[in-house]
Amino acid sequence: MKHYSQRAAALIFFLVLAVNLKAQVKPNYYTDYHVHLQDSATVQLGYRMLKAFHLKATKMDSLCFDADTIIGRLDKAKFHSAWIISNAYWFGSPATPVKNEYLEVKKQNDWIAAQAAQYPDRLKAFMSINPLKPYAIKEIERCAVTKRFTGLKLHFANSKVNLFDKAQVKQLQKVFAVANKYKLLLLVHFRNSEKWEGAANTKILLKQILPFAKNTKVVIAHMAGWGGYDRQSDKALRLISAYLHSNKEPGSNLFLDVSAVFPLDENSNHTKSVKRNTTWHQLIALKKQIKKIGTDHIVFGTDWPLIDIGPYIEMLNKNLGEQTTRQILNTRVIAD
């Protein structure tokens, strides 16, 4: 009986130890830094937007995606969290005017906050607006004071931003300043058109706009492009790299996300000239810029529902290598 008791006690000890060890094992804390949700209003407007841009709808364009959808895909990929982005800026786009615009913008921002609130430790809400609208500052402040939002998403292409317009630059300075005031992270789709001068636009961003958000972090989406990779994106990254590593202009709060970069020829309009000129190779140029910038300033993102986590990691592994991909996955951007 004594021998049996000793064996039972030992078994209990090891069971307790195993449970404690299991509790101490932390899940992967990877984050998808670029995720879109879709409610029914977004789906309906999305069809109008696709038509306006002469694009064909896919099955994904007709589906609604909520917080549970995102948590399911995060769990499947063994990811911990995601930045979920409001589609409110769609409702302020000049390409697809809507009735009661500001009301619809508020509805979208409130909806994304409600979705994030279901999983507060895993989903971070990003409000969005067309920064050129008269209500832009008012809406950022309305959302910010609720403390339900981690950041602000700006989409220069969808909002028809022109950085060569001085009045627009002044407005963007105000927007960046109010985001800075409330310590909102900024996620910026920077490229604004097909005919886009990478170097000239980037100079304006770095010199005239970023100084208004010195106390928060800024993530430039799609490696400064808008899908794929071309010469103009490469020119933008050259200046961003120099900015990040300049003693005069420390760039510790500036990051880029790698969402939608692969496949590199995603947008054929941007790659025709590349195919004709065999002296410039997209992947070689991109890898060179990533090395210069450093993976500590590059974060992972999928631009869901464009692609899911697993397939996109496979693309990154194939093109950038597993070591570089792992380093990007480990890069963190956290609100101060």
Side-chain angles (χ1 to χ4, degrees):
M1 179 65 73
K2 182 178 179 182
H3 180 65
Y4 174 80
S5 298
Q6 289 175 335
R7 288 179 61 190
L11 180 60
I12 292 171
F13 171 78
F14 283 113
L15 285 172
V16 171
L17 179 61
V19 170
N20 287 337
L21 285 174
K22 185 176 181 180
Q24 292 173 12
V25 174
K26 294 182 178 180
N28 286 332
Y29 268 73
Y30 294 152
T31 298
D32 186 341
Y33 287 95
H34 201 126
V35 174
H36 295 271
L37 274 62
Q38 293 180 175
D39 65 352
S40 58
T42 300
V43 169
Q44 293 175 38
L45 182 61
Y47 275 98
R48 286 183 56 204
M49 193 169 290
L50 288 168
K51 186 177 180 180
F53 291 113
H54 307 289
L55 299 172
K56 292 183 179 180
T58 67
K59 182 181 178 180
M60 297 296 273
D61 294 313
S62 66
L63 302 177
C64 293
F65 307 113
D66 59 11
D68 290 334
T69 308
I70 303 308
I71 291 298
R73 59 186 290 272
L74 290 175
D75 288 345
K76 181 180 178 181
K78 297 182 180 179
F79 267 49
H80 178 260
S81 57
W83 285 4
I84 57 174
I85 302 164
S86 166
N87 291 314
Y89 66 92
W90 287 23
F91 292 78
S93 174
T96 50
V98 299
K99 293 181 180 179
N100 303 313
E101 179 182 314
Y102 184 34
L103 177 63
E104 295 302 322
V105 166
K106 289 192 288 186
K107 285 181 180 179
Q108 286 296 314
N109 284 332
D110 290 343
W111 183 75
I112 207 74
Q115 294 302 305
Q118 296 180 40
Y119 301 92
D121 294 333
R122 302 187 66 186
L123 301 180
K124 304 302 178 184
F126 274 62
M127 70 182 85
S128 72
I129 42 91
N130 178 335
L132 305 180
K133 293 291 182 173
Y135 57 75
I137 301 298
K138 178 182 178 181
E139 177 60 6
I140 297 170
E141 291 183 328
R142 183 189 75 86
C143 292
V145 296
T146 68
K147 305 294 184 182
R148 298 191 297 167
F149 296 87
T150 296
L152 167 66
K153 164 69 182 286
L154 302 175
H155 198 298
F156 284 10
N158 188 276
S159 301
K160 301 294 184 182
V161 169
N162 176 11
L163 293 186
F164 300 110
D165 184 321
K166 293 182 179 179
Q168 289 192 21
V169 169
K170 287 183 179 180
Q171 174 65 10
L172 286 167
Q173 290 171 344
K174 294 177 182 177
V175 168
F176 273 60
V178 74
N180 187 73
K181 174 183 176 181
Y182 290 101
K183 298 294 182 67
L184 293 168
L185 300 175
L186 279 156
L187 177 59
V188 182
H189 179 119
F190 175 42
R191 183 159 184 163
N192 63 5
S193 69
E194 183 179 336
K195 295 180 179 179
W196 183 77
E197 298 177 19
N201 279 274
T202 304
K203 285 179 182 178
I204 295 171
L205 176 73
L206 298 178
K207 297 294 184 181
Q208 299 184 43
I209 299 174
L210 275 190
F212 288 82
K214 286 185 176 180
N215 298 320
T216 191
K217 296 181 178 71
V218 178
V219 179
I220 300 176
H222 317 310
M223 296 297 286
W226 61 355
Y229 192 73
D230 65 3
R231 285 182 177 274
Q232 295 304 323
S233 296
D234 193 65
K235 289 178 180 179
L237 289 188
R238 289 182 190 179
L239 291 181
I240 290 170
S241 176
Y243 173 85
L244 286 170
H245 301 295
S246 169
N247 292 327
K248 294 180 180 179
E249 301 285 352
S252 60
N253 284 340
L254 181 62
F255 299 81
L256 301 112
D257 83 35
V258 75
S259 68
V261 174
F262 294 98
L264 291 179
D265 57 352
E266 178 67 21
N267 192 320
S268 60
N269 290 332
H270 299 160
T271 57
K272 290 177 181 177
S273 61
V274 174
K275 292 177 182 178
R276 288 196 301 266
N277 186 352
T278 58
T279 62
W280 191 81
H281 300 278
Q282 293 163 284
L283 184 56
I284 293 174
L286 175 60
K287 291 171 75 170
K288 183 178 180 180
Q289 294 303 335
I290 288 175
K291 185 175 181 181
K292 286 183 177 180
I293 291 166
T295 53
D296 56 330
H297 283 278
I298 301 173
V299 297
F300 176 82
T302 58
D303 203 9
W304 167 268
L306 182 67
I307 193 170
D308 211 343
I309 294 170
Y312 201 56
I313 289 177
E314 289 180 10
M315 283 191 184
L316 295 182
N317 282 334
K318 179 180 178 181
N319 289 280
L320 302 181
E322 293 185 7
Q323 182 179 357
T324 298
T325 301
R326 185 167 59 253
Q327 291 170 346
I328 290 172
L329 285 167
N330 283 319
T331 303
R332 298 283 181 271
V333 178
I334 302 171
D336 294 328

